[in-house]
């Protein structure tokens, strides 16, 4: 089965509130087996519009990543994130 990858690109408006989001993701990410591949770090924009923060999480499958996103635990965290940052999240099936 192909792995699933959660790719998030964010511009943080409220760094203090964003810390609450990071704390709130701990339980759902552990529950669904998220493995951090990229979490912040330096990025070089080569094309298009870059975001300040980039995160890639690996899951056992794309469906597991989607289930994590739709879980009651993550939906609480998502509300906090939406208050603190602007960005995009996509789930991609690996090879």
């Amino acid at each position: 089965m192909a792995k699933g990858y959660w790719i998030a690109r964010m511009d943080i408006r409220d760094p203090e509130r964003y810390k609450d989001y990071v704390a709130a993701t701990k339980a759902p990410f552990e529950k669904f087996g998220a493995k951090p591949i990229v979490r912040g770090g330096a990025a070089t924009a080569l094309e298009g519009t870059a975001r300040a923060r980039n995160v890639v999480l690996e899951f056992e499958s794309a469906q597991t990543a989607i289930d994590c996103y739709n879980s009651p635990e993550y939906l609480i965290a998502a509300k906090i994130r939406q208050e603190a940052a602007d960005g995009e999240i996509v789930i991609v099936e690996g090879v």
Side-chain angles (χ1 to χ4, degrees):
M1 176 182 296
K3 300 280 186 178
Y5 295 88
W6 172 314
I7 303 170
R9 302 173 58 243
M10 298 289 146
D11 286 326
I12 300 167
R13 290 181 274 105
D14 184 343
E16 289 304 311
R17 185 68 172 140
Y18 196 81
K19 290 177 186 176
D20 296 333
Y21 164 71
V22 172
T25 62
K26 185 176 179 178
F29 287 171
E30 284 181 0
K31 178 179 178 180
F32 288 91
K35 177 183 173 189
I37 303 296
V38 173
R39 188 181 281 164
T44 302
L46 300 177
E47 293 188 29
T49 304
R51 296 279 188 175
R53 182 167 174 82
N54 300 283
V55 175
V56 178
L57 302 174
E58 182 181 79
F59 290 82
E60 284 301 312
S61 68
Q63 187 59 56
T64 303
I66 292 167
D67 292 345
C68 179
Y69 182 87
N70 289 318
S71 70
E73 299 92 343
Y74 183 76
L75 292 177
I76 292 167
K79 185 174 179 181
I80 298 168
R81 177 184 43 77
Q82 291 161 357
E83 294 171 2
D86 298 309
E88 304 83 33
I89 296 175
V90 297
I91 305 298
V92 180
E93 187 174 280
V95 293

